[in-house]
């Protein structure tokens, strides 16, 4: 692979950070397997070993390096997956010094020198511990709690300080082994080479001795220099990608902000721009999620479809709900928003009205939570937990069963098809409708059952609860320490922006249309990512295939 081919590949795949990492791994794999282009005559394996031995002997003679102990030869079991020739590898301790950092991160005074820590960004120090190029390896697990993992390695040049929980890999001679090449190689195969060597129970760590045992490929210096050049190109692409994403994020944030707080005078132009630019603004799944929230926000503000003066006003709809045959007559004044709820409201279009959750329940029912401390049995009442509704659709395949006698004590949350369920504890604000097959089932105490009045469009109520205004209400009303949640009383008084019934149905249709567009964008992103990943996987598999022995001999001659 040469720089021109790498540049061509980058044009297709550099928008995803993982793809740039894969490109780096491909370059390293090509170098290790002997398939990278050679621009000058390469040293043979034996010549490299002789040069390394001479350098080590010189350093020992100058007392710059302790006398080297005899190291065990590399075995095939120690190699990264797909590499099978241990004779082409030597232990890291034979090409570089591995030294622990000398600066306590919390105790170090800020200054003019970079202080390398486990985080991506550098701190500063008033002193330096090392002077030269080095690959930096964390010595402690990035997750802890008995799990072995390393988020990232670092490459550092010049004078720098190093935290005591990291180690510097300093080549004996940069002309023979490049610190940048070692960094890229160790980063590309960190799970197999480094994470696999970590040990411990509560504190999972990596020792200097185990780092020195890591197998290093005998790659000629000329090939290493080519790897360094290609990695510099990857650095440029990564910087360009970050800048491009930052620009896209700013444009998307500005466009969505103008829609989320619409200006009546400029809203049509703002909305037209955002919709036309939608594909360009949504290059990542998180951006599509933001767009979905903006669509819901516009829907509940009356900005998604036009109002029709002929529609029955929402106030009249609320009066008809109040006039239904309730067991106990309810006054509209008793269901009006309190001062806290009024602080959340905004100006609604003509014909709309603010109401509360409690004002639009089915007659003689109320919103309440489910079974406290359910008694699980093999055959009983199907019971929905928050776990089964995280995707917005209730997973009925493996619902737990509650003992019928325990479930019978919670008849108010006995499920009917079309009831809206809302998660109230832990994961707050997830919604899902009860499907017909769950009739007669129940819910746990962490879920609310909202029996919506038949005079209101259930789908509209759900999208209103999914919208930012209601989600913000629930977040603002959370209580608890170990498990935060929303009290049922606070949910009942949550403000709901209610349009006329006819407009509710128009909003539902428009939201469905726009969400389908978001689905298409998401699917196209997924398909593109899958295609790019398959391309990279194929290239990596090819790069990991070593050249045949005859080719090696020919190159050596």
């Amino acid at each position: 692979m040469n720089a021109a081919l790498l540049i061509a590949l980058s044009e297709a795949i550099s928008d995803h950070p993982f793809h740039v990492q894969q490109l780096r791994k491909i370059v390293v794999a090509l170098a290790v397997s002997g398939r990278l282009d050679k621009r000058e005559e390469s040293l043979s394996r034996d010549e490299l070993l002789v040069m390394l031995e001479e350098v080590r002997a010189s350093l020992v003679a100058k007392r710059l390096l302790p006398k080297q102990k005899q190291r065990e030869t590399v075995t095939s079991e120690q190699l990264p997956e797909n590499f099978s020739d241990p004779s082409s590898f030597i232990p890291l301790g034979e090409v570089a010094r591995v030294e622990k950092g000398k600066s306590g991160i919390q105790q170090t005074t800020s200054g003019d020198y970079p202080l390398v820590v486990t985080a991506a960004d550098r701190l500063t120090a008033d002193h330096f511990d090392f002077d030269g190029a080095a690959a930096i390896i964390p010595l402690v697990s990035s997750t802890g709690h008995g799990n072995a993992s390393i988020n990232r390695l670092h490459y550092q040049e010049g004078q720098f300080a190093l935290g005591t929980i990291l180690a510097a890999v300093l080549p004996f001679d940069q002309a023979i082994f490049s610190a940048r090449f070692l960094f890229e190689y160790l980063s590309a195969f960190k799970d197999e080479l480094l994470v696999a060597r970590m040990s411990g129970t509560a504190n999972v760590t990596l020792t200097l001795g185990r780092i020195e045992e890591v197998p290093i490929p005998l790659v000629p210096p000329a090939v290493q220099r080519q790897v360094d050049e290609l990695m510099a190109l990857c650095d440029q692409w990564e910087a360009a990608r970050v800048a491009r994403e930052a620009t896209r994020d700013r444009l998307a944030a500005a466009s969505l902000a103008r829609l989320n707080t619409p200006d009546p005078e400029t809203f049509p132009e703002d909305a037209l721009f955002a919709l036309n630019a939608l594909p360009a603004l949504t290059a990542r799944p998180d951006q599509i999620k933001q767009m979905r929230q903006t669509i819901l926000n516009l829907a509940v503000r009356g900005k998604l479809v036009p109002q029709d003066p002929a529609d029955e006003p929402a106030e009249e709809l609320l009066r008809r709900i109040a006039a239904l045959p309730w067991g106990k007559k309810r006054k509209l004044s008793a269901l009006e928003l309190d001062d806290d709820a009024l602080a959340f409201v905004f100006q609604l279009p003509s014909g709309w009205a603010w109401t509360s959750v409690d004002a639009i329940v089915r007659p003689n029912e109320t919103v309440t939570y489910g079974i406290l401390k359910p008694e699980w049995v093999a055959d009983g009442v199907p019971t929905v937990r928050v776990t089964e509704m995280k995707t917005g659709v209730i997973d009925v395949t493996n619902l737990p069963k509650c003992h019928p006698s325990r479930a019978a004590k919670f008849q108010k949350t006995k499920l009917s098809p079309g009831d809206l369920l809302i998660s109230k504890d832990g994961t707050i604000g997830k919604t899902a409708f009860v499907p017909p097959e769950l009739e007669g089932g129940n819910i746990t105490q962490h879920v609310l059952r909202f029996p919506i009045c038949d005079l209101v469009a259930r789908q509209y109520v759900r999208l209103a609860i999914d919208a930012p205004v209601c989600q913000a209400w629930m977040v603002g009303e959370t209580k608890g320490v170990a498990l935060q949640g929303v009290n049922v009383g606070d949910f009942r008084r949550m403000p709901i922006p209610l349009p006329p019934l006819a407009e509710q149905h128009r909003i539902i249709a428009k939201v469905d249309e726009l969400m389908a567009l978001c689905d298409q964008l998401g699917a196209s992103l997924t398909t593109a990512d899958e295609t790019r990943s398959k391309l990279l996987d194929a290239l990596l598999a090819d790069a990991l295939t070593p050249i045949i022995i005859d080719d090696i001999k020919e190159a050596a001659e």
Side-chain angles (χ1 to χ4, degrees), residues 90-308:
I90 58 174
L92 176 59
E94 294 188 13
V95 303
R97 303 194 322 270
V98 182
E99 295 189 23
K100 187 177 180 182
K102 305 172 184 178
S103 300
I105 296 173
Q106 300 298 328
Q107 294 75 35
T108 297
T109 303
S110 299
D112 297 329
Y113 300 96
L115 170 61
V116 183
V117 295
T118 55
D121 297 328
R122 307 290 194 268
L123 302 180
T124 63
D126 59 353
H127 66 279
F128 66 89
D129 301 324
F130 301 97
D131 188 357
I136 309 297
I137 302 172
L139 297 175
V140 297
S141 172
S142 58
T143 54
H145 306 294
N147 297 316
S149 66
I150 294 176
N151 281 342
R152 66 185 65 83
L153 278 68
H154 293 289
Y155 174 69
Q156 185 64 45
E157 297 178 343
Q159 297 173 330
F160 64 94
L162 183 62
T164 55
I165 58 174
L166 301 100
V169 176
L170 303 141
F172 295 143
D173 188 337
Q174 283 276 357
I176 302 176
F177 263 95
S178 156
R180 177 65 187 259
F181 174 77
L182 292 177
F183 161 73
E184 297 292 354
Y185 166 73
L186 294 171
S187 295
F189 301 100
K190 65 181 174 65
D191 289 337
E192 302 102 311
L193 298 174
L194 299 171
V195 175
R197 285 174 165 77
M198 303 183 89
S199 62
T201 52
N203 297 316
V204 182
T205 59
L206 187 62
T207 65
L208 300 185
R210 290 191 173 182
I211 294 176
E212 292 174 346
E213 296 170 355
V214 169
I216 299 298
L218 287 164
V219 175
V223 177
Q224 292 183 46
R225 286 193 292 273
Q226 189 178 5
V227 170
D228 293 352
E229 293 171 5
L230 293 175
M231 291 307 174
L233 279 177
C234 286
D235 291 343
Q236 295 174 22
W237 298 329
E238 181 66 15
R241 184 196 66 80
V242 170
R244 188 165 55 249
E245 286 299 299
T247 301
R248 182 184 283 116
D249 285 344
R250 287 194 297 270
L251 179 59
S255 300
L256 297 182
R258 293 179 73 86
L259 297 185
N260 286 326
T261 55
D263 182 335
E265 294 184 1
T266 64
F267 178 77
E269 293 80 7
D270 295 339
L272 182 63
F273 171 81
L275 289 174
N276 288 337
L278 184 59
L281 294 177
T282 51
R284 302 193 312 269
D286 63 293
Q287 293 167 333
I288 293 179
K289 182 178 180 180
Q290 294 173 12
M291 183 59 71
R292 291 182 189 276
Q293 285 296 293
T294 297
I295 291 169
L296 294 177
N297 190 37
L298 293 172
V300 299
R301 289 175 178 267
K303 299 293 185 180
L304 210 56
V305 299
Q307 281 74 50
D308 186 344

Side-chain angles (χ1 to χ4, degrees), residues 375-381 399-403:
E375 181 183 345
W376 302 121
V377 293
D379 186 19
V381 177
L399 282 177
K401 308 293 196 303
C402 180
H403 196 289

Side-chain angles (χ1 to χ4, degrees), residues 2 39 43 71 104 134 157 193 197 204 244 313 330 353 360 381 429 433 438 441 532 538 548:
N2 55 33
R39 299 179 182 175
L43 296 172
R71 299 183 187 277
E157 297 178 343
L193 298 174
R197 285 174 165 77
V204 182
R244 188 165 55 249
R330 304 193 307 169
I360 54 174
V381 177
F433 283 119
L438 272 185
R532 291 164 176 166
I548 59 176

Side-chain angles (χ1 to χ4, degrees), residues 376-448:
W376 302 121
V377 293
D379 186 19
V381 177
T383 304
V384 180
R385 303 169 298 181
V386 175
T387 305
E388 281 80 39
M389 52 182 295
K390 285 184 178 178
T391 62
V393 177
I394 298 172
D395 181 4
V396 300
T397 54
N398 293 300
L399 282 177
K401 308 293 196 303
C402 180
H403 196 289
S405 62
R406 181 63 179 166
K409 299 177 186 277
F410 294 86
Q411 288 297 309
K412 287 186 177 181
T413 47
K414 187 176 180 180
L415 300 179
S416 298
D419 286 345
L420 183 61
L421 304 185
I422 303 98
S423 58
K424 66 177 288 288
D425 296 317
T427 302
I428 297 169
K430 293 293 184 181
T431 61
F433 283 119
V434 174
E437 59 266 35
L438 272 185
E439 183 171 10
N442 216 307
I443 54 178
T444 67
Q445 72 269 28
H446 304 303
V447 180
L448 297 172

